[in-house]
Each structure stands twice: as C-alpha cells, then as structure tokens.
Amino acid sequence: MPVRPIRTFAVLPKLPDRLRPLHTLAYNLWWCWNADAVALFRRINPDLFEALDHSPIRLLGATGQARFEELAEDDGFLAHMDRVVAALDHYLKAPTWFSSAFGSETDLRIGYFSAEFGIHESVPVYSGGLGVLAGDHLKSASDLGLPLVGISLMYREGYFRQYLNAEGWQQERYPENDFFTLPLVEEKGADGKPLVVSVTLPEREVFLKIWRIDVGRVPLYLLDANIPPNRPEDRGITAQLYGGDQHTRIQQEIILGIGGIRALKALGKSPTVCHMNEGHAAFTGLERIRTLMAEQKLDFDSALEAVKAGTCFTTHTPVPAGNDAFPMQMIEQYLGDYMAKMGVDRARLAELGRQHPTNEQEPFGMTVLALHLANVSNGVSKLHGVVSRKMWKDLWPELPTSEVPITSITNGVHTQSWLSPEIAQLYDRYLGIQWEERPTDFAIWKRVEHIPDAELWRTHERGRERLVAFARARLRSQLKRRGAPPSEVVAADEVLDPDALTIGFARRFATYKRGDLIFRNAERLISMLGAKDRPVQFIFAGKAHPKDNGGKELIQRVVQQARKAEFRKHIVFIEDYDMNVARYLVQGVDVWLNNPRRPLEASGTSGMKVPCNGGLNLSILDGWWCEGYDGDNGWAIGAGEEYGDNTVYQDDVESRALLDLIERDLVPMFYHRGTDGLPREWIRRMKRSIMTLVPVFNTNRMVEEYAERCYVPSHQRATRLSADQLKAAKELAVWRKRVNGAWGQVKVESVEAPGGETLRVGSEFRVKVKVNLGSFTPDDVEVQLCHGVLDAMSEIADPRATTLMPNGEKTGQTVSFSGSVPCRSSGQFGFSVRVLPKHANLHHSFEPRLVTWG
C-alpha cells in the first residue's frame, strides 16, 4: 500500500554565504550558453557534473558540505564565480537590439506557445528539432531583449529515454522528472499561495499549477496538471510529451492553448501578440476571442478580427500526416459547450478547422485552425514555404499557388549554445569579442580568414578526439547494460580512429530521413571504411517516435549493420540521443550527413550547428541547405531532383551519388596533406563554410526577422483595431460580412488590351477593364493585372500583380479601371485580370479568400 504523506518538506544544500551566488546562477539557464559559467560548475566536481546531466541544481544537492567549505576558501574559484555573476548581471542590464530598434513599442508583449522547449539536457521537456528550435528562439529573444515569454507544459516524465535490446530494437523508458532538482520556480499569487488556473474538459474542471524557468531575460511558464485537486487520470495529462492517444493529445493542446492564455492573464502578462509554434497551440486564438467577448461585450466576428491581427503562426511539417487533426465528434465533445457559449455553432466551427467545411469526412485540422486565426503565417525555409503553399492552397482556391499567403522565415540555431569552448576562444582571439553580440555581422565572420590554418585544424581535431572518446565510453556502457561478453566490452576501446574522416548522422529516425541510405551498397562501403591509409568512419544517433515502427526498423537496420565484423570498428550507434550527445557530435564531426527525400525536410537545423565548429555539410538539397549551399562551402547530393513515388529508384540513385561524393571528393581532399600535415583545401572549405553560413543560419537573425516581419507589425495592427473600444475591429467585421454576402455581384464585364501585336522592349502594355461592382464602391476593391512569362503549358508560372486605377468612367454600377505594364524584357507573356476586396485594416488582400477573375 502506498504511503501518503500528511505533510511535505524540502531540504536544500547548505551553501556557505560566500557561495550563495551559485544558487542564483543555477536558477537562470543563461549559464548553459555561457562557457565560463559551465566551466565554473564543472570545477565543483567534474565527474559528478557529467554524471548528473550537467545539472547545476543536482550538482549542488549532491556535493558534500566539506567540498563547499573548501570552495569557500578557494580564492581562484571565488574569483571565477564573481566574474560569472558579474557577467550575468551585465547581461541582464545591458542595452539590447530590441530597445534600440523598437524602443517606442513599449506596450508589445509576445507570448510564444510551443508544445516543447529544448533548452538544455538537464531540463528534459523536449523531444527533438521542434523543441530545440523553440529553446534557441527563447535564448536569442533574451539576447536581443524582446519582450517575450514562452508557454508550454511541464511534463512529469518528459520524452522517453531510449535504449536498444539485443536485436537492436528501440525500447523506451520514462523516468520521472524530479521537479525539486529542476530550475523551476513556483509562481504564487498575491496571497502567497501557488497560482492555479483551470480549463474545462468534458464534465469536469482540470486545475493547472504554473512553474517558471528563467532563460536569461525571458521567462518560460510551464503548466502542470499533476496536482491534488485533479482526479488521477487528469493528473496524467501532462505526464508525457507526445504520449497517450488522441484524447490525451487534444487535452494537452487545450491546456497549452486555453490554459496558457489563462495562466498569462493570471500572471498579469496577457500578450498583445501570440506566436503559435506549430498547430499544437492553435487553441490560443479561441481563448483570446472568448476573453475579448466576455470583457468587451463583443460579438464573435469582431473579437476574431482583433485577435487575428495580433496572431502569428509557424508551420513546421511538410507532410499532411504530421499535422494534428481530430475527428469532428471529438472537437464537439471537448469544445462544443465552450464554442456554444460564444455563439459558434457546428457549421461555423467546421469552417475554422476544415479546408472544405461541408466535407463530413474531413477531420478538424489544428494547422487549418491556426491558418484561419493568424494574420501572418510562415514556413521554416524558402523551400518549405513553397511546400506549405502547395499543401494548404485549398484554403485559397482562387489563387495561384505561388500567391498563397504563407511566407517563410528560415530557421537558425543559437550559435553560443552549440559552439565548442576551444573554437569560441579561437574566435575571441581572431574575430574580436563582438562576434557574440553581433552573430549576424558578415564583416566580423570574414575575419575567419585571418585564423592560421594550423590553429583552426588543431582546434577542430581536439573536438574530434573528444567525440571519439565519448563514443567509445557510451558504447562500452551500452554493451555492459545489454550483458555483452567482456571481450566485446573491452573491444569498445578500439572502435573509431581519432584521426580518421568522421561523418555524423543524428536526428529523429523517420523513414523519409533514410538513416540507412549509406548501406545500400555494402561492398563499396566496406572497401571505403577499411582503407588503411584513408579510413572513413560513421557515428549515428537518433530516436524514433514510440509508435513509429518504420523508424524503429530503420534504427535496427543501422545497428545490425554496425555490429557486423567488417563495420564494427568504423560505425557506432550512440543510444539515447539528446542535446548532450548532439553537442559532442556537432563539435567533433568533420562532415554532417543529411539525406532526406526532398522536399520532406522542412528545415533540418541539426546541420546548422556544425559550421560554427568547423564541420562541413554533405546534404540533399532540401530544407535550409537549398539556401546555404553555394558550391564551395560543403557538398550537395544531387541537384535538387524530386522523384515522386519512385522511392526505390531514388534511393538507388542517391545512395550511389553519396558514395561517389565521399570516395571522389571528401576522402581525397581530407587526406591530401602538405609537408606540414595540414589538409589545406579542406581547411579553406571549412573557413568558407563558417564565413557564409554562421552569420545567416542563427536564431538572432531569425528572431530579428520575426520581430520585424511578424511581431511588431502584428502588434501595431492589433493596437489599431483595438483602439477606441475596438471600433476598427467592429467595422472590419461588419465590412467582411457585407463583402462575403454580396461578392457574387462583382463581375469583370470587359477587358480592352492590345491583341496579338508584337511590342518592343521599352514600350508599355496598356489595359482597360470594366468591372460591375454591384453595391460596392471603387474603394472596396482592388483591380489587378496579373502578368508574367508563359511556361511550356502556356500558363503564367510566376504571376506579378499591377494595380489598375479608376479612370473616371462610370456607367451605373460599372466602373472602368486602367493601367499599364512596362515591357522590360523580350519573351512570350500573358496576362489576366482579377478583382479583390480591399480594406485598410486587412493584413493583405488575399485574407478574405475572395477573388473574381476576368
């Protein structure tokens, strides 16, 4: 029988007064991207720090009192601690990019909602790329001084820990997070009691406690359902990240979206702009609408206008199956009463979550809801923007795919979080110290050319040596746990070569990422790996989703190949991939391999972490690499071909191309050494990679783009619509209702333009259009000439729009518009005419999804 406590008590480490600042440092995750702070905690007890997932709080709790007394008398340690404390104090108080660029936007408050945040391995509430990106977003928001807060769930068991059985099949275990050893601060109300909010689920209320983690200047708030007022099954809602069934998922998303908004309101931090990072957070918009309706006595449509103006959405998933969708019955079960109280019936609810509202077979999509509720939406690379526009074009059926209003902001990584300390010191010496504060400055990174080749190479080699030592140690512990024979455990010390060309492949193991592509021609691979004078070796890592058997089979194939005698010394699979393993890999590999099936990689940020450490990318032209590759800063597999459903042929072609590149380009370049033992051409390419990629593919550039293109414009638009008791929002809702009801009256009656004659470059193509506006005025519409070069199918592949203006001619309801297009180049051109609704408070003319073509 379990013993239930009648009271609880906490025991804290007894730090001498002189060491109290260690507690302050441990509770602000700024330490995890400051190398000097990491070195300070490692200095307390290096082995213990490693064993405890680099957690300062666990380290302080596990360190004996005698060691603390010793450190309190250690002048060197104390000086180091004082220096780090002063650096944190300076960081928190220093002027920022945001205060300089947008100092007048004092009312802006950004809420960044994400199902996971990967900030550091000691806070295991993340699974992979989406969470690590969100964590890096917070770090850069802190560096840049954005008025941003993060919101997520506090998972009691986090994401699973991975281990492999004797057959190489992935197994999962879910150790519980000990909240007391995490950098969590309990949020309390004015009465000193824990702050609690609630959400309504079918036939009950679920209460949520609020925790805070400080990430530099930025707070991250985490909602926790595991508290006594809730019944046992509800306490488990926030147990696992991406665990459970669809009911668990929708409950988590209600807590994230609806509960997240309520938590920020209770904290006195209601956002003026909400950023939904993936569709998991789409319910934020509904709760903001409900709140406005209740507080301002608004109707649903007016509240929707005001909320939409201050909402941004980022989609990350280039395949339909990766976007959360729920049966309509489930949406009605969980949100029926909630929406009914807002006056929203089933048909209106279906409109919000379906591309085709009357199709009863179509589920309710969270991405569709987010696209309906956001005034600006984006993919995470230029190619992913193209893919997203194709995926969701049915929401704008009258538009060419290229004009679907989903833009792109390419992802980045937080450079300081992934940079090896030795490389950072090299940059300090040769780039100056401003590279940390201005990571997007090309002029600073150009100074990489001044780093002596020998120094850069030796520093990079130390990272590779550390990676090999780490891989051997991990392999040894994996074999011991699996009960391998002692001889096999001892042999782990002989795997890999610290001087060999080392290629890393680490990411989520999904089938489209093709983790086993390199093994398709085993004989060629054997001869390459076994070359005595020019060896090559591979290190693999990654997890498959617990329900993804295809991904698990992929891991099993890689592991079983790695265990073969001819591969055993040259290929290693490291279990339980996390941010710690990732750091060793990106800081130590010579080459980062990425071979997804194009165009299924939305961004692929893992490869962005390698260039700052001197590594090179070898990748399919997919995701970010389409933008990053310049022909001389890494290698591209293929030329961006897409094969459709012919995946077997694609895998054959691209596996051969991959092996060809390694054999004919990488190996000769890596092993071609001068008399000084340096691979000069390889080092030149390393420098080229650093100079061209690091200043672009970092989250400071990314977050600046979000601020300039999304946050500030959305805040300004929301402020405009909310002024004077939301007068503009109400007017816009009335206008939209009128336009939706009467748009069928608008017709293009005639088009007058040159017919068939040849024009000369430098002349103008003039057009006159007569439009029957029905009950509308010329101020309600925008008449556009869509023109461009014709493709092989006689279609305008990339149309450009020129606005035509009223020319004063009017007959009844018919108004004439005219304009011209300059003929700047020769070729075969075509044009069409369209009419769009226009309103000063629309974010863009495509937003109402109404177009009349002539």
Side-chain angles (χ1 to χ4, degrees):
M1 181 181 105
V3 178
R4 299 207 172 271
I6 56 172
R7 284 188 190 156
T8 62
F9 57 93
V11 180
L12 295 167
K14 189 174 184 301
L15 288 172
D17 289 344
R18 185 67 178 87
L19 299 182
R20 289 287 172 83
L22 291 174
H23 185 271
T24 302
L25 291 171
Y27 274 82
N28 190 320
L29 285 174
W30 166 87
W31 70 263
C32 77
W33 72 89
N34 182 282
D36 207 20
V38 175
L40 174 71
F41 287 116
R42 181 172 277 114
R43 192 167 174 172
I44 294 172
N45 188 326
D47 294 337
L48 194 57
F49 190 55
E50 287 291 327
L52 297 175
D53 290 328
H54 308 109
S55 167
I57 294 172
R58 293 173 67 190
L59 175 70
L60 296 179
T63 299
Q65 204 63 36
R67 177 59 177 155
F68 285 137
E69 300 297 340
E70 185 182 320
L71 291 170
E73 301 298 324
D74 184 335
D75 290 343
F77 181 84
L78 295 175
H80 189 170
M81 180 185 72
D82 292 343
R83 183 172 72 243
V84 173
V85 170
L88 173 59
D89 187 61
H90 171 76
Y91 175 87
L92 295 175
K93 295 175 180 176
T96 65
W97 170 84
F98 185 84
S99 62
S100 172
F102 298 106
S104 61
E105 301 296 342
T106 53
D107 294 333
L108 172 60
R109 296 182 302 277
I110 306 155
Y112 182 81
F113 291 73
S114 181
E116 52 173 307
F117 283 89
I119 301 164
H120 188 258
E121 64 268 18
S122 63
V123 188
V125 290
Y126 66 94
S127 72
L130 178 72
V132 173
L133 173 79
D136 282 6
H137 194 112
L138 293 194
K139 293 171 185 176
S140 280
S142 172
D143 290 345
L144 296 167
L146 267 67
L148 181 145
V149 302
I151 306 95
S152 191
L153 308 187
M154 186 58 228
Y155 303 101
R156 189 174 74 246
E157 298 173 6
Y159 200 51
F160 71 91
R161 305 298 296 266
Q162 177 199 56
Y163 66 98
L164 305 179
N165 66 16
E167 299 299 316
W169 189 259
Q170 174 181 290
Q171 307 286 302
E172 298 90 25
R173 60 187 181 88
Y174 292 88
E176 285 206 13
N177 284 321
D178 180 358
F179 286 19
F180 187 68
T181 60
L182 293 172
L184 296 169
V185 176
E186 186 180 54
E187 287 292 337
K188 296 183 178 179
D191 57 3
K193 295 180 180 177
L195 201 57
V196 173
V197 296
S198 67
V199 297
T200 301
L201 294 179
E203 299 179 359
R204 82 262 192 204
E205 201 168 5
V206 174
F207 297 91
L208 306 164
K209 189 174 183 176
I210 307 169
W211 300 94
R212 185 186 83 244
I213 293 178
D214 290 320
V215 186
R217 298 179 176 96
V218 168
L220 168 61
Y221 296 105
L222 301 163
L223 304 179
D224 176 17
N226 185 29
I227 56 176
N230 294 326
R231 58 192 198 182
E233 55 268 39
D234 288 338
R235 293 180 69 164
I237 294 174
T238 56
Q240 293 177 6
L241 172 59
Y242 305 141
D245 57 14
Q246 273 202 310
H247 287 278
T248 303
R249 178 64 65 89
I250 196 171
Q251 290 169 3
Q252 287 184 340
E253 294 184 357
I254 287 170
I255 288 173
L256 174 63
I258 297 174
I261 291 293
R262 292 179 182 179
L264 292 182
K265 187 175 184 340
L267 290 161
K269 298 192 175 187
S270 292
T272 62
V273 172
C274 281
H275 184 172
M276 303 177 291
N277 189 42
E278 195 54 284
H280 310 127
F283 291 141
T284 56
L286 298 183
E287 176 60 12
R288 293 174 78 203
I289 291 170
R290 187 201 66 79
T291 303
L292 263 185
M293 291 176 68
E295 294 178 353
Q296 303 292 330
K297 309 305 179 195
L298 288 181
D299 62 282
F300 180 85
D301 291 326
S302 298
L304 171 60
E305 297 293 352
V307 167
K308 185 172 185 174
T311 304
C312 312
F313 168 57
T314 299
T315 176
H316 292 262
T317 312
V319 288
N323 294 269
D324 279 356
F326 301 102
M328 198 63 199
Q329 313 89 274
M330 188 179 289
I331 292 292
E332 291 180 283
Q333 176 187 352
Y334 283 94
L335 291 171
D337 291 344
Y338 177 87
M339 298 302 290
K341 288 175 184 176
M342 290 192 268
V344 176
D345 60 16
R346 186 184 190 279
R348 184 76 172 94
L349 187 57
E351 277 181 34
L352 292 171
R354 283 177 175 167
Q355 296 190 76
H356 310 95
T358 58
N359 179 5
E360 286 301 316
Q361 305 307 310
E362 182 181 341
F364 186 96
M366 296 298 285
T367 300
V368 176
L369 176 63
L371 288 167
H372 275 127
L373 296 180
N375 84 113
V376 57
S377 301
N378 69 281
V380 290
S381 69
K382 288 180 181 176
L383 178 60
H384 182 231
V386 173
V387 172
S388 298
R389 288 189 283 275
K390 289 179 181 175
M391 279 180 66
W392 306 110
K393 62 183 173 60
D394 283 1
L395 285 171
W396 293 271
E398 294 296 324
L399 288 182
T401 302
S402 62
E403 290 188 315
V404 168
I406 300 175
T407 185
S408 65
I409 295 177
T410 302
N411 282 347
V413 298
H414 188 255
T415 305
Q416 284 177 263
S417 292
W418 302 101
L419 193 60
S420 81
E422 296 89 348
I423 292 278
Q425 290 168 13
L426 203 60
Y427 292 159
D428 285 345
R429 285 203 299 278
Y430 292 98
L431 276 59
I433 59 173
Q434 287 189 314
W435 68 268
E436 293 184 24
E437 296 176 3
R438 292 159 52 196
T440 61
D441 191 327
F442 276 91
I444 290 175
W445 292 100
K446 190 90 168 58
R447 298 173 196 162
V448 165
E449 291 178 333
H450 303 316
I451 300 176
D453 287 358
E455 229 176 313
L456 178 60
W457 184 246
R458 301 301 177 219
T459 305
H460 174 67
E461 284 195 308
R462 281 197 289 277
R464 190 192 317 118
E465 290 163 4
R466 192 165 54 239
L467 169 60
V468 168
F470 172 76
R472 287 171 174 173
R474 285 295 286 262
L475 180 60
R476 218 170 23 245
S477 64
Q478 289 168 197
L479 291 169
K480 283 181 180 177
R481 181 196 50 74
R482 212 179 291 139
S487 59
E488 196 175 336
V489 175
V490 171
D493 288 333
E494 298 175 4
V495 303
L496 305 178
D497 177 350
D499 296 317
L501 171 59
T502 303
I503 300 175
F505 181 99
R507 52 189 40 84
R508 180 169 60 90
F509 264 72
T511 51
Y512 77 85
K513 293 178 185 280
R514 300 187 295 182
D516 63 344
L517 189 67
I518 196 73
F519 297 104
R520 285 184 78 84
N521 193 325
E523 290 183 7
R524 279 183 72 184
L525 184 60
I526 290 168
S527 65
M528 183 195 306
L529 299 182
K532 292 184 179 178
D533 54 339
R534 304 195 304 182
V536 180
Q537 58 197 18
F538 290 84
I539 301 178
F540 289 86
K543 296 177 177 179
H545 187 280
K547 295 179 181 176
D548 181 8
N549 283 334
K552 290 183 177 183
E553 288 169 2
L554 200 55
I555 291 174
Q556 186 177 44
R557 287 199 293 273
V558 171
V559 170
Q560 290 181 348
Q561 291 283 358
R563 289 180 185 171
K564 291 180 178 177
E566 56 268 37
F567 291 145
R568 186 169 293 166
K569 288 189 176 183
H570 312 288
I571 298 176
V572 170
F573 185 94
I574 297 177
E575 296 177 18
D576 204 25
Y577 184 46
D578 65 1
M579 293 178 75
N580 180 45
V581 175
R583 266 197 306 277
Y584 276 103
L585 283 163
V586 300
Q587 293 173 10
V589 296
D590 299 298
V591 175
W592 193 259
L593 175 61
N594 189 30
N595 44 231
R597 289 194 181 97
R598 177 184 161 117
L600 300 181
E601 185 80 278
S603 180
T605 52
S606 62
M608 300 176 187
K609 302 177 177 91
V610 175
C612 61
N613 291 293
L616 296 170
N617 276 273
L618 168 61
S619 176
I620 295 287
L621 284 168
D622 198 5
W624 78 283
W625 194 232
C626 301
E627 300 164 55
Y629 178 61
D630 71 357
D632 199 30
N633 59 358
W635 293 271
I637 304 166
E641 300 90 351
E642 294 179 19
Y643 294 79
D645 294 331
N646 198 353
T647 57
V648 174
Y649 176 66
Q650 179 180 9
D651 292 352
D652 285 340
V653 170
E654 292 180 342
S655 64
R656 285 195 298 271
L658 170 57
L659 288 168
D660 287 345
L661 273 170
I662 296 173
E663 285 182 339
R664 297 173 189 175
D665 282 44
L666 277 70
V667 169
M669 189 185 298
F670 184 85
Y671 286 107
H672 180 70
R673 309 293 170 100
T675 54
D676 54 6
L678 297 176
R680 295 282 181 180
E681 177 58 22
W682 188 278
I683 295 169
R684 186 195 65 78
R685 197 168 285 228
M686 287 168 64
K687 289 183 176 180
R688 176 76 186 164
S689 172
I690 295 168
M691 288 188 293
T692 58
L693 301 176
V694 177
V696 179
F697 299 98
N698 66 74
T699 42
N700 278 44
R701 185 271 312 155
M702 180 191 83
V703 172
E704 285 179 12
E705 276 198 63
Y706 275 112
E708 293 164 350
R709 296 173 54 190
C710 302
Y711 300 155
V712 172
S714 294
H715 172 68
Q716 292 171 342
R717 185 164 173 254
T719 300
R720 195 163 62 245
L721 264 64
S722 299
D724 195 15
Q725 280 80 48
L726 294 107
K727 180 182 176 183
K730 296 172 187 174
E731 289 176 349
L732 183 57
V734 171
W735 174 87
R736 195 188 296 269
K737 188 172 183 180
R738 179 169 71 89
V739 169
N740 285 335
W743 189 252
Q745 301 171 8
V746 177
K747 291 182 176 58
V748 176
E749 293 191 341
S750 67
V751 178
E752 297 177 20
E757 69 230 49
T758 301
L759 301 175
R760 300 289 180 184
V761 172
S763 62
E764 289 190 331
F765 181 80
R766 297 184 177 278
V767 177
K768 179 179 175 182
V769 179
K770 291 183 179 180
V771 182
N772 187 326
L773 297 179
S775 59
F776 296 109
T777 71
D779 291 337
D780 289 322
V781 302
E782 181 170 349
V783 180
Q784 293 181 343
L785 181 71
C786 289
H787 55 94
V789 178
L790 296 180
D791 62 15
M793 304 300 293
S794 296
E795 294 178 350
I796 306 171
D798 187 19
R800 296 184 179 183
T802 297
T803 300
L804 305 180
M805 304 303 294
N807 59 19
E809 298 178 19
K810 182 178 180 184
T811 305
Q813 296 176 331
T814 300
V815 178
S816 290
F817 297 78
S818 57
S820 62
V821 177
C823 300
R824 294 194 175 97
S825 59
S826 58
Q828 189 72 21
F829 292 82
F831 79 95
S832 189
V833 173
R834 68 185 176 198
V835 187
L836 301 164
K838 183 177 72 173
H839 192 284
N841 285 324
L842 286 178
H843 177 63
H844 51 74
S845 297
F846 302 143
E847 190 184 309
R849 299 182 172 86
L850 298 170
V851 186
T852 295
W853 289 90

